[in-house]
């Protein structure tokens, strides 16, 4: 487990893909990030989650006071999260903000869908980082926190995440899971009021996919 930072208030982890943030879900025997961390670090409070298939930064509180502070920062949009996503297709724009309203947990596949009538307001700002042959690397900055938000907004714009077959991406051998990584996370320390910024390096599968795209393979 790649623990990036720990103190009496906080625990910051670079989560691997394939690991759920919290216990539960459909795979009853699968261990979660919380279950793996608590034997060593004691009780931790969940502030936010990542999809099981998504890699990258997860921040936990280690006290009730820190938990309340971080929850308030989320509520008042004082937390900044940035994802990197490899998408299928080449956007013509350099920057674009998606504001499609989203309805979560639809159907037996538990997809999130765009629903203009029943969906909740949702917003993700995308910035183009690199173009390849038929693919692109995007930065995604969500202003809201809906389930699968970055994945669905990218799909709604016509650029599904690489390998994200749940949202209509074609099958690929480049990577075995949706190419999404929670890279940067900025917030204010609950105890010191210091502004903190953490950056999680790419995991090997994400890095390898980028290397193959850059080489034209």
């Amino acid at each position: 487990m790649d623990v990036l930072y720990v103190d009496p208030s906080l625990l910051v982890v670079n989560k691997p893909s394939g690991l759920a943030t919290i216990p539960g879900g459909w795979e009853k025997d699968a261990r979660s990030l919380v279950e793996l961390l608590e034997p060593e670090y004691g009780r931790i409070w969940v502030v936010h989650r990542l999809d099981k298939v998504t890699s990258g930064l997860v921040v936990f509180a280690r006290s009730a006071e820190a938990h309340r502070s971080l929850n308030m920062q989320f509520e008042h949009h004082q937390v900044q999260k940035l994802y990197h996503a490899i998408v299928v297709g080449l956007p013509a724009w350099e920057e674009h903000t998606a504001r499609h309203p989203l309805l979560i947990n639809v159907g037996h596949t538990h997809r999130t869908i765009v629903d203009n009538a029943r969906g909740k307001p949702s917003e993700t700002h995308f910035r183009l980082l690199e173009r390849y042959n038929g693919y692109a690397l995007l930065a995604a900055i969500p202003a809201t926190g809906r389930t699968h938000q970055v994945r669905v907004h990218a799909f709604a714009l016509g650029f599904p995440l690489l390998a994200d077959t749940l949202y209509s991406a074609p099958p690929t051998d480049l990577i075995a899971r949706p190419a999404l990584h929670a890279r940067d996370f900025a917030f204010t320390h609950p105890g010191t009021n210091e502004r903190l910024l953490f950056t999680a390096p790419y995991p090997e599968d994400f890095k390898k996919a980028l290397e193959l795209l850059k080489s034209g393979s």
Side-chain angles (χ1 to χ4, degrees):
M1 190 60 59
D2 189 9
V3 175
L4 301 182
Y5 180 86
V6 60
D7 71 14
S9 298
L10 299 173
L11 179 62
V12 182
V13 178
N14 184 8
K15 183 185 87 68
S17 65
L19 183 64
T21 305
I22 63 172
W26 302 105
E27 299 177 46
K28 300 301 182 185
D29 296 330
R31 301 290 300 278
S32 69
L33 185 58
V34 167
E35 290 169 302
L36 292 172
L37 291 170
E38 284 194 329
E40 181 171 355
Y41 296 99
R43 182 182 175 184
I44 55 178
W45 281 256
V46 177
V47 179
H48 68 112
R49 307 176 192 178
L50 290 181
D51 295 343
K52 182 177 180 179
V53 296
T54 302
S55 59
L57 286 165
V58 181
V59 176
F60 295 102
R62 299 190 68 201
S63 69
E65 293 78 12
H67 187 227
R68 282 192 293 271
S69 173
L70 290 170
N71 279 341
M72 290 294 292
Q73 290 183 53
F74 268 96
E75 185 177 334
H76 292 98
H77 305 287
Q78 296 168 340
V79 170
Q80 293 176 317
K81 294 191 293 180
L82 183 145
Y83 294 76
H84 278 192
I86 306 172
V87 299
V88 180
L90 292 171
W93 37 260
E94 297 295 323
E95 297 193 34
H96 186 85
T97 299
R99 295 187 176 88
H100 308 80
L102 300 179
L103 182 65
I104 70 169
N105 201 26
V106 175
H108 69 280
T109 56
H110 306 283
R111 296 170 87 242
T112 295
I113 64 170
V114 174
D115 190 318
N116 291 317
R118 297 178 295 162
K120 292 185 177 181
S122 307
E123 181 178 315
T124 308
H125 182 72
F126 291 96
R127 184 171 72 249
L128 179 67
L129 298 177
E130 294 183 25
R131 288 190 177 95
Y132 312 109
N133 184 20
Y135 303 89
L137 176 66
L138 304 181
I141 304 170
T144 50
R146 313 301 178 204
T147 301
H148 295 183
Q149 177 175 311
V150 173
R151 298 166 63 184
V152 179
H153 274 168
F155 165 62
L157 294 175
F159 306 103
L161 269 60
L162 178 67
D164 198 355
T165 54
L166 181 63
Y167 294 106
S168 300
T172 180
D173 293 327
L174 290 169
I175 192 170
R177 49 97 179 187
L180 184 63
H181 178 67
R183 185 175 181 273
D184 294 343
F185 199 113
F187 59 96
T188 300
H189 191 289
T192 66
N193 290 324
E194 178 187 2
R195 192 68 178 171
L196 301 177
L197 171 63
F198 293 96
T199 297
Y202 293 149
E204 286 302 315
D205 63 347
F206 197 98
K207 187 189 305 182
K208 184 65 174 178
L210 284 177
E211 289 171 354
L212 290 170
L213 291 173
K214 289 176 182 179
S215 69
S217 301

